[in-house]
């Protein structure tokens, strides 16, 4: 389920006068929904219980894009390292991108094509996103990814997006939770459940807080994936999409919001 308005499939158009394909938030959101529904019942919930889900979701999104762009001149790269950016030393450093949509070369060539769009993924448990300093940390992590999307030649890597996953864990049957998982989640998840049930932490606060900070960098939208229930814990994955990040953000990075 998503609260975005998806305008068309954004499939590449054929023809001489067709405009260059661009990655859009609606296309990315649609691929996120496809990725979420591609997991078996309870699979994504299990992954969220045992580790962060940044990479599994990214990989399913990449495959969803690959299927939709199949038969075109566009390819989807995971952990793509095709371009250089400015390293900490001030010299060129190879830039790794979580996901990149790149035009396939028409013949053997050493020229590396500019991406049509790049996406960076981050994941943070909702129970670890309650305090201002935690939201500031998320904001800082996304900003670093955005800043690194300028190449060594000061070109922007196509349409730049970031996806922040905020998995929420809710205990529905304590008796079914394995001991090793309960030991891992009981302090944070049970406490977070209590704070939500008493109204101390409003429903949807992680998405609202993250969205308000990232909105300083560009347009934001959000949706949610139902990851199902596994071992007595129901998991949903609210997410925030930032992008495309406008050129003005790269020219003058706005200061982060502080509380």
């Amino acid at each position: 389920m998503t609260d975005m308005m998806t305008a068309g499939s954004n499939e590449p158009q054929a023809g001489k006068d067709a405009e260059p394909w661009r990655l859009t938030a609606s296309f990315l959101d649609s691929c996120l929904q496809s990725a979420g529904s591609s997991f078996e019942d309870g699979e994504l919930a299990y992954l969220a219980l045992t580790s962060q889900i940044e990479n599994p979701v990214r990989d399913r999104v990449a495959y969803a894009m690959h299927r939709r762009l199949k038969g075109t001149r566009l390819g989807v790269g995971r952990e793509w390292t095709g371009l250089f950016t400015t390293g900490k030393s001030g010299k060129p450093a190879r830039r790794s991108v979580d996901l990149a949509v790149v035009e396939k070369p028409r013949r053997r060539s050493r020229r590396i094509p500019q991406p049509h769009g790049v996406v960076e993924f981050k994941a943070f448990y909702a129970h670890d996103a309650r305090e201002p300093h935690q939201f500031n940390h998320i904001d800082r992590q996304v900003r670093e990814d955005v800043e690194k999307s300028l190449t060594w030649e000061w070109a922007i890597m196509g349409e730049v997006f970031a996806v922040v996953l905020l998995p929420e864990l809710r205990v529905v049957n304590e008796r079914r939770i394995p001991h090793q998982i309960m030991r891992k989640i009981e302090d944070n998840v049970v406490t977070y459940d209590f704070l939500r049930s008493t109204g101390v932490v409003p429903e949807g606060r992680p998405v609202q807080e993250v969205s308000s900070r990232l909105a300083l960098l560009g347009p934001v939208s959000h949706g949610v994936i139902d990851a199902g229930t596994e071992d007595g814990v129901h998991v949903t994955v609210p997410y925030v999409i930032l992008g495309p990040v406008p050129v003005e953000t790269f020219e003058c990075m706005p200061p982060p919001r502080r509380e």
Side-chain angles (χ1 to χ4, degrees):
M1 179 180 179
T2 177
D3 61 2
M4 284 192 57
M5 295 297 293
T6 303
S9 62
N10 198 35
E11 301 290 347
Q13 302 297 312
K16 181 178 178 182
D17 299 326
E19 292 187 9
W21 184 87
R22 293 180 180 274
L23 182 60
T24 65
S26 61
F27 182 78
L28 178 54
D29 178 72
S30 179
C31 290
L32 276 160
Q33 291 296 310
S34 295
S37 62
S38 70
F39 291 95
E40 293 184 11
D41 186 32
E43 180 184 1
L44 187 55
Y46 167 77
L47 293 173
L49 282 170
T50 54
S51 65
Q52 270 297 7
I53 58 171
E54 175 182 329
N55 290 343
V57 171
R58 176 206 63 190
D59 293 346
R60 297 293 179 99
V61 169
Y63 186 62
M65 286 189 179
H66 166 75
R67 286 177 61 87
R68 296 184 187 202
L69 298 175
K70 205 167 186 177
T72 73
R73 296 214 56 82
L74 298 176
V76 181
R78 294 164 47 250
E79 298 182 1
W80 188 73
T81 57
L83 292 177
F84 288 86
T85 187
T86 305
K88 293 182 179 179
S89 64
K91 297 180 179 179
R94 192 170 289 280
R95 167 78 159 103
S96 176
V97 178
D98 282 343
L99 188 156
V101 180
V102 184
E103 188 169 342
K104 301 170 186 176
R106 296 186 179 278
R107 58 180 181 276
R108 292 180 180 270
S109 172
R110 293 185 178 182
R111 184 187 72 83
I112 299 175
Q114 191 79 3
H116 285 248
V118 300
V119 188
E120 291 287 0
F121 289 80
K122 288 283 187 272
F124 306 89
Y125 287 112
H127 57 256
D128 290 332
R130 302 200 307 262
E131 304 295 335
H133 74 274
Q134 294 171 318
F135 293 120
N136 292 339
H137 171 71
I138 295 172
D139 182 34
R140 188 163 54 249
Q141 292 284 305
V142 175
R143 283 170 175 269
E144 288 177 359
D145 281 340
V146 169
E147 288 175 327
K148 288 188 294 185
S149 292
L150 274 177
T151 70
W152 173 248
E153 294 85 5
W154 292 94
I156 301 173
M157 293 185 183
E159 304 295 334
V160 177
F161 290 83
V163 174
V164 180
L165 306 167
L166 297 161
E168 293 187 348
L169 284 57
R170 294 175 186 258
V171 176
V172 294
N173 189 342
E174 288 190 22
R175 294 183 179 181
R176 295 191 58 187
I177 303 176
H179 177 66
Q180 69 272 18
I181 292 179
M182 177 55 86
R183 286 186 58 189
K184 178 181 178 182
I185 72 173
E186 61 181 343
D187 289 340
N188 291 321
V189 175
V190 174
T191 299
Y192 189 59
D193 267 351
F194 173 76
L195 293 175
R196 278 188 301 203
S197 65
T198 56
V200 175
V201 176
E203 288 287 342
R205 186 181 177 220
V207 167
Q208 293 169 2
E209 290 289 341
V210 171
S211 295
S212 68
R213 284 164 169 76
L214 297 188
L216 297 174
L217 305 178
V220 295
S221 50
H222 44 85
V224 62
I225 296 169
D226 189 338
T229 301
E230 188 68 20
D231 289 333
V233 180
H234 183 70
V235 180
T236 56
V237 186
Y239 57 84
V240 178
I241 299 174
L242 163 68
V245 178
V247 174
E248 291 77 17
T249 296
F250 292 97
E251 293 176 341
C252 184
M253 184 69 67
R257 178 183 144 191
R258 295 297 182 197
E259 294 184 7

